């Protein structure tokens, strides 16, 4: 999806947007849980089943779906499918935000078991991408400020908390390594590494997109200082 949208930015061919909608609908049909409004990681076409089969929702995979939908809505607000896509985007976003941790981050497995398992760790890259989707949606007018501006501020606070100073430079903590589709145990056993490109890139995306937007939490911190 992101490849199609970037090519549309370059070439302006509306057929690329049509193909994006086709792909988004396929993923939504095959991987989205209609009750939870969140996505499983993959679809096995030979076995005709999801991976994982259980309703386990990997953070970083879901976050990229949100980012792609937000970018489509920003690029093509007048598209014939924009209203329908916006409804699906909001439903997934609301379901995702319902799993936010008190510190503004999200577990590497969004929904299970809501932090009761110590193996299920907060994950930086997916959290930053969720924040990025919020920022894009706010800038594009797809999302109202209430309640989404406060949600963005919470995510910003969480991601900022993953930046620590070490030996005179900033270090980004908490990004999971490359992850293949699997069951719950597969996701929570993926190693976490500092300064991984997928985490650094996602955090740069978030901070640059959020720059200039209202940040009630950040403003309050500045006032206190």
């Amino acid at each position: 999806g992101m490849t199609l949208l970037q090519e549309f930015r370059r070439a302006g061919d509306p057929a690329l947007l049509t193909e994006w909608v086709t792909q988004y609908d396929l993923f939504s049909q095959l991987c989205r849980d209609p009750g939870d409004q969140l996505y499983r990681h993959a679809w096995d076409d030979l076995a005709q089943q999801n991976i994982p089969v259980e309703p386990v929702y990997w953070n970083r995979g879901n976050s990229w779906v949100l980012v792609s939908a937000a970018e489509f809505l920003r690029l093509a607000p007048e598209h014939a499918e924009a209203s329908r896509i916006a409804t699906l985007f909001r439903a997934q976003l609301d379901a995702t935000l319902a799993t936010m941790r008190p510190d503004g981050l999200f577990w590497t497995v969004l929904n299970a078991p809501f932090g009761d398992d110590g193996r299920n760790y907060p994950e930086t890259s997916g959290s930053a991408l969720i924040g990025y989707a919020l920022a894009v949606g706010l800038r594009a007018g797809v999302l109202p400020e209430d309640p989404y501006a406060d949600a963005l501020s919470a995510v910003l606070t969480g991601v900022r908390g993953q930046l620590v100073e070490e030996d005179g430079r900033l270090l980004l903590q908490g990004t999971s390594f490359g992850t293949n589709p699997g069951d719950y145990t597969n996701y929570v056993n993926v190693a976490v590494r500092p300064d991984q490109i997928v985490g650094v890139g996602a955090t740069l995306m978030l901070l640059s997109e959020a720059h200039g937007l209202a940040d009630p939490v950040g403003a309050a911190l500045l006032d206190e200082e």
Side-chain angles (χ1 to χ4, degrees):
M2 293 300 291
T3 302
L4 291 164
L5 294 177
Q6 294 289 16
E7 182 63 8
F8 174 76
R9 276 194 175 98
R10 187 191 71 81
D13 182 353
L16 295 163
L17 296 179
T18 300
E19 180 60 23
W20 182 92
V21 172
T22 299
Q23 293 294 321
Y24 182 82
D25 283 343
L26 276 171
F27 277 94
S28 296
Q29 173 190 343
L30 296 174
C31 295
R32 180 195 292 257
D33 186 292
D36 293 337
Q37 295 298 318
L38 296 171
Y39 286 72
R40 289 176 175 83
H41 195 160
W43 171 258
D44 184 335
D45 207 40
L46 291 176
Q48 290 288 292
Q49 66 182 23
N50 285 113
I51 305 173
V53 175
E54 300 81 11
V56 170
Y57 309 113
W58 179 46
N59 178 347
R60 192 157 65 212
N62 273 270
S63 66
W64 273 115
V65 179
L66 288 170
V67 167
S68 188
E71 290 285 10
F72 171 83
L73 293 167
R74 170 157 63 181
L75 283 172
E78 304 302 322
H79 193 279
E81 299 290 347
S83 178
R84 181 176 66 84
I85 299 299
T87 298
L88 293 171
F89 168 65
R90 286 275 297 272
Q92 186 197 0
L93 180 60
D94 290 344
T96 301
L97 293 177
T99 71
M100 185 191 293
R101 290 162 38 103
D103 61 4
L105 297 172
F106 296 83
W107 305 107
T108 195
V109 174
L110 289 172
N111 67 310
F114 293 103
D116 293 335
D117 183 346
R119 298 176 300 166
N120 192 14
Y121 53 85
E123 204 284 320
T124 302
S125 67
S127 298
L129 290 170
I130 293 164
Y132 177 83
L134 279 163
V136 170
L138 286 163
R139 282 196 184 278
V142 176
L143 300 173
E145 285 198 14
D146 184 17
Y148 296 104
D150 283 341
L152 173 59
S153 287
V155 177
L156 282 166
T157 298
V159 173
R160 287 170 182 147
Q162 297 293 79
L163 284 164
V164 298
E165 189 170 342
E166 186 174 292
D167 297 327
R169 69 182 185 91
L170 285 176
L171 186 75
L172 184 69
Q173 301 176 313
T175 300
S176 63
F177 202 62
T179 305
N180 291 320
D183 60 12
Y184 172 77
T185 300
N186 168 72
Y187 295 115
V188 297
N189 282 335
V190 173
V192 174
R193 298 282 188 270
D195 271 359
Q196 284 200 81
I197 190 170
V198 292
V200 173
T203 297
L204 289 172
M205 287 169 62
L206 166 62
L207 296 178
S208 60
E209 191 65 32
H211 181 69
L213 288 172
D215 181 358
V217 174
L221 290 173
L222 289 172
D223 288 343
E224 289 174 9
E225 293 173 0

